[in-house]
Amino acid sequence: MTSNTANLVGFNALYQEHHEWLVRWIARRTYSTDNAQDLAQDTFIRLLNKSSLYSDIRSPRAWLIKVAGNLVTDDIRRKILEKNYVVFLESMPETVYFSPEEQFQLLRLLEQIDRLLSGLRPIEKTAFLMVRLDGLSYKDVAKQLDVSLSSIEKYIAKAMFECYNFTYSD
């Protein structure tokens, strides 16, 4: 039996044994069976793209939970982002119009920014966005967030470091 055949047999066995369980696990967290099916498939696709033998995974359910959990988190984050984007578009004056392509590009850009800042705590993200997007001074941000100026300086420095690391890790 070739290595590829052994991998396929191992993958099929793992899929047969854990697929329904994983769909139920995801459905309990997302409250959507259809979405759970999609996320379970995405989880197994990640496994299928893994080059090692499936028999090497000591705890398949733990591995599946970790990958599926990350996908659920990404899915929730994307839905929140899309919802906020729709609210933003609805609040725009009618004279400002984005084409479907521009809307798609803007949404992708927002998703990239969200991924870029995913390692930050909410207050750090908020401070960074207030400075970079709203153009507020560190002092104004400190006042609005009711924290010290030195805290804002640290938050911005950490956010900039995250951006730098993200840029050079791709």
Side-chain angles (χ1 to χ4, degrees):
M1 188 180 292
T2 68
S3 171
N4 286 341
T5 305
N7 274 346
L8 190 56
V9 168
F11 176 81
N12 285 339
L14 192 69
Y15 185 89
Q16 293 296 322
E17 187 175 337
H18 300 289
H19 179 262
E20 287 305 315
W21 165 83
L22 185 62
V23 170
R24 287 190 308 274
W25 185 88
I26 295 170
R28 284 193 305 270
R29 280 146 187 84
T30 63
Y31 307 106
S32 168
T33 306
D34 292 337
N35 198 32
Q37 290 282 352
D38 291 341
L39 291 171
Q41 288 303 105
D42 290 346
T43 302
F44 280 102
I45 287 171
R46 295 269 172 103
L47 181 60
L48 190 58
N49 291 332
K50 201 169 163 54
S51 61
S52 67
L53 295 173
Y54 305 108
S55 59
D56 290 345
I57 298 174
R58 288 186 177 162
S59 181
R61 285 193 174 185
W63 189 91
L64 292 169
I65 284 173
K66 177 69 174 165
V67 173
N70 289 341
L71 291 172
V72 167
T73 300
D74 289 346
D75 187 60
I76 290 168
R77 183 180 290 143
R78 183 185 50 76
K79 285 179 180 172
I80 290 170
L81 195 61
E82 286 177 359
K83 179 182 172 199
N84 290 338
Y85 178 65
V86 167
V87 168
F88 166 75
L89 287 178
E90 289 172 351
S91 71
M92 298 289 292
E94 288 187 30
T95 57
V96 177
Y97 173 75
F98 292 111
S99 71
E101 286 177 357
E102 291 170 324
Q103 291 177 20
F104 178 77
Q105 289 173 345
L106 186 56
L107 185 57
R108 295 289 86 82
L109 179 61
L110 290 171
E111 287 174 346
Q112 283 180 313
I113 292 169
D114 187 55
R115 270 195 315 276
L116 180 74
L117 302 177
S118 66
L120 299 176
R121 295 180 307 164
I123 194 166
E124 294 165 338
K125 253 189 219 186
T126 301
F128 180 73
L129 294 173
M130 290 172 80
V131 168
R132 301 300 287 192
L133 295 181
D134 297 337
L136 297 176
S137 69
Y138 286 21
K139 185 178 178 181
D140 290 338
V141 174
K143 192 179 294 182
Q144 285 189 29
L145 296 180
D146 197 27
V147 297
S148 69
L149 182 59
S150 65
S151 292
I152 296 300
E153 291 168 346
K154 289 174 188 171
Y155 298 162
I156 302 303
K158 184 176 179 183
M160 294 300 288
F161 183 74
E162 287 287 320
C163 292
Y164 176 81
N165 279 342
F166 185 84
T167 302
Y168 290 102
S169 67
D170 284 348

